[in-house]
Amino acid sequence: MKMSGNEIFGVGSLKVEELAKRVLEELGHKSPAQSRKGVVDTSIWLANITTTSSTYDHDAVMSALLKRGISRNLLMDCCIPDAARILGDGWMENMRSFGQVSLGAVRLQSLAKSLSLEWGEAPFKAEEEGIFLIVCPDDDHTLGPIILADQLRRKGYSVNIMIGASDEELLKTAGSGNFQLIMFSCSCMVAFEGVKNAAKLLKTKVQDLPPIVLGGPVLEFFDEGEDIDAEVDLITNEVDIALKKASRKKLKHRGIERAS
């Protein structure tokens, strides 16, 4: 069953909202208790508003979003990612069409970019603590890396994020930047081959390379303890664990560490 944009607020709206609340029962615990209801309501609102067709206006939605009383950190860390999950689950449950989910994902990413661009207060650390965040060309899911880059900047790190860059661009940036960490964000097995090739290229061609970390939804495709064939120094989805690796960049690394 496929639904039109108008049906989101009509016949199918109750089922969609029930699904959203079911999804968020598990996800909502990430937000502070005092903000939880607002986070859940805002996530559902975002999932609905970003899948409308003719009535959507980015600036109006941004204005309405900022008036909902949710901090920008929670909007970036909880509401936008949870809205994306609601859209994905709606498609899996045949409550939203692929076109709606694709449109909603693009709009959520645009909102995330606008929110992060408005933050100019981050107290960036020294240049040597910069992070090179890479998303390979075959990876179509870039909302997560955009949110990750924003989280790192809030922690005080200068982040150079490159999405879909060529091998030449990666080598030039990695070789000229004084980075403390290189991070690959990968969402699927299709893109994983590109990550493997890019990591091997950097290891081969760039001198004095900082630690390389692999993270992202692709890790869910591997069993716990399974050997992941990639020339990286650490495999984890925990940002703080990755940053600890950055603080030890002068140490020699032997083999691949994996942290859950």
Side-chain angles (χ1 to χ4, degrees):
M1 179 183 68
K2 293 186 178 181
M3 298 166 54
S4 68
N6 291 332
E7 284 178 317
I8 289 295
F9 298 101
V11 177
S13 61
L14 180 59
K15 288 185 177 180
V16 171
E17 187 135 336
E18 286 175 351
L19 171 65
K21 288 179 178 178
R22 193 166 70 245
V23 172
L24 287 165
E25 280 181 1
E26 178 181 350
L27 300 174
H29 70 275
K30 296 184 300 181
S31 56
Q34 64 271 23
S35 305
R36 198 156 297 158
K37 184 180 185 304
V39 166
V40 169
D41 290 346
T42 298
S43 301
I44 295 171
W45 178 80
L46 278 170
N48 286 336
I49 199 69
T50 56
T51 49
T52 61
S53 53
S54 60
T55 59
Y56 186 86
D57 179 88
H58 175 84
D59 292 337
V61 171
M62 271 293 296
S63 178
L65 184 60
L66 295 174
K67 291 177 181 177
R68 294 183 69 90
I70 305 297
S71 72
R72 296 191 183 192
N73 287 8
L74 285 177
L75 289 175
M76 288 291 285
D77 295 343
C78 297
C79 296
I80 291 179
D82 287 352
R85 292 185 183 97
I86 292 170
L87 296 184
D89 278 53
W91 178 49
M92 294 297 293
E93 296 282 344
N94 292 321
M95 293 181 183
R96 297 185 191 271
S97 69
F98 180 77
Q100 283 180 309
V101 173
S102 299
L103 181 62
V106 169
R107 288 170 171 172
L108 287 171
Q109 182 163 307
S110 181
L111 290 170
K113 286 182 177 179
S114 292
L115 283 168
S116 61
L117 286 174
E118 289 186 11
W119 291 336
E121 302 84 14
F124 291 128
K125 297 181 180 180
E127 184 179 349
E128 68 268 22
E129 300 207 21
I131 294 175
F132 188 13
L133 177 57
I134 302 170
V135 183
C136 287
D138 291 330
D139 207 324
D140 295 328
H141 301 282
T142 54
L143 176 60
I146 288 171
I147 292 173
L148 172 60
D150 189 79
Q151 291 171 339
L152 291 169
R153 287 168 182 148
R154 273 182 268 150
K155 290 177 178 290
Y157 291 87
S158 175
V159 181
N160 186 332
I161 179 171
M162 297 189 78
I163 298 175
S166 66
D167 288 348
E168 291 75 16
E169 290 172 317
L170 291 181
L171 287 173
K172 181 179 179 181
T173 301
S176 60
N178 192 11
F179 299 110
Q180 193 174 9
L181 192 70
I182 293 176
M183 303 179 76
F184 281 95
S185 177
C186 183
S187 70
C188 60
M189 293 303 294
V190 172
F192 180 59
E193 199 64 32
V195 171
K196 289 170 56 178
N197 293 336
K200 183 176 181 179
L201 180 70
L202 293 177
K203 289 274 190 178
T204 304
K205 298 291 186 179
V206 180
Q207 294 183 343
D208 194 26
L209 200 67
I212 298 178
V213 177
L214 168 63
V218 72
L219 300 189
E220 297 173 7
F221 292 90
F222 297 94
D223 295 329
E224 185 175 353
E226 180 180 352
D227 183 40
I228 297 180
D229 180 24
E231 295 191 27
V232 299
D233 301 292
L234 175 65
I235 298 170
T236 183
N237 276 330
E238 297 294 330
V239 175
D240 289 338
I241 292 176
L243 293 177
K244 286 181 181 178
K245 190 74 171 179
S247 68
R248 305 198 305 270
K249 77 168 188 173
K250 297 300 183 182
L251 301 179
K252 295 289 185 180
H253 305 289
R254 296 180 179 178
I256 299 174
E257 296 180 43
R258 180 164 182 172
S260 58

